[in-house]
Amino acid sequence: MNDRMVVAVYTGSLSALAANLFLYIINSLIAVPRINMPQLTVQLMFEQPDLTNIFVIILGIVWSMIIGGVYTFIYLIVLDFTGWNNLLLKSIAVITGLWLLGAGTIMKLFNILPEARAEPLAVAAFFIAHLFFAFVLKYLIQEFMKS
C-alpha cells in the first residue's frame, strides 16, 4: 500500500494496543506503586483525580493509539528516506528516539516529572513497552507492506 497515512493509522494503532496490553501486564507484575504514563498524561490534561476511572483508562488508550500512529508515520518517512532494509533496527532506533524526545516533552509540558521521578520502575516499564511497540510495529509493517 502506498498511502503512508493509512498504513500508519492501522499499524500504529494496533502496535499501540499491543504495547498497552503489554504495559498493563508489566505494571501488574511490579510490586511497588506504579503509574501508567498515557493515563497519567490524560489525568493531568483533564485533572481527573483517579487513574482507575474508566474515562481516564479509555482516553489513555486512545491517546496511545494516536501517538502510535504519529510514531509510525515518522518511522515510515525514515524508511522512505533510508531504505527498507534492517526494519527492526530502524524501528527500535526511531521509536526509542521519539520516546525520549516525546515523553520528555510531554512530561515537562504536563508537569509529570515529579510523578515519574518518584516511580523509576514505571518509567522503565513504559520504555520496555515502547520496545515491544517497536517489535510489533516492525512485524506489522513487514506484513502490511507484503499485501
Side-chain angles (χ1 to χ4, degrees):
M1 170 166 278
N2 291 330
D3 191 338
R4 299 294 185 243
M5 183 65 78
V6 172
V7 172
V9 168
Y10 284 126
T11 60
S13 296
L14 289 173
S15 297
L17 287 173
N20 260 301
L21 178 60
F22 189 70
L23 181 60
Y24 281 109
I25 292 168
I26 292 172
N27 277 337
S28 70
L29 299 174
I30 297 174
V32 297
R34 57 196 177 266
I35 55 176
N36 181 302
M37 296 296 191
Q39 289 177 8
L40 183 60
T41 303
V42 169
Q43 175 194 14
L44 294 172
M45 281 193 294
F46 293 100
E47 298 181 4
Q48 293 288 324
D50 183 13
L51 279 175
T52 60
N53 181 326
I54 191 71
F55 174 72
V56 173
I57 292 170
I58 291 170
L59 283 179
I61 292 169
V62 170
W63 174 256
S64 293
M65 291 172 67
I66 291 167
I67 296 300
V70 172
Y71 279 12
T72 303
F73 189 69
I74 293 168
Y75 172 59
L76 290 170
I77 290 170
V78 168
L79 290 177
D80 285 339
F81 278 108
T82 64
W84 285 72
N85 52 345
N86 300 311
L87 291 179
L88 181 58
L89 180 62
K90 289 177 183 178
S91 178
I92 291 170
V94 169
I95 299 308
T96 57
L98 289 171
W99 178 79
L100 287 171
L101 292 172
T105 303
I106 289 170
M107 289 193 313
K108 182 94 170 145
L109 182 66
F110 292 110
N111 199 26
I112 299 174
L113 289 175
E115 288 87 352
R117 284 187 187 125
E119 298 297 338
L121 285 178
V123 174
F126 195 46
F127 178 72
I128 291 167
H130 273 75
L131 288 176
F132 185 75
F133 175 89
F135 280 95
V136 172
L137 181 61
K138 178 263 181 198
Y139 172 77
L140 291 177
I141 290 290
Q142 194 171 22
E143 292 301 312
F144 204 86
M145 296 312 262
K146 282 182 185 177
S147 50

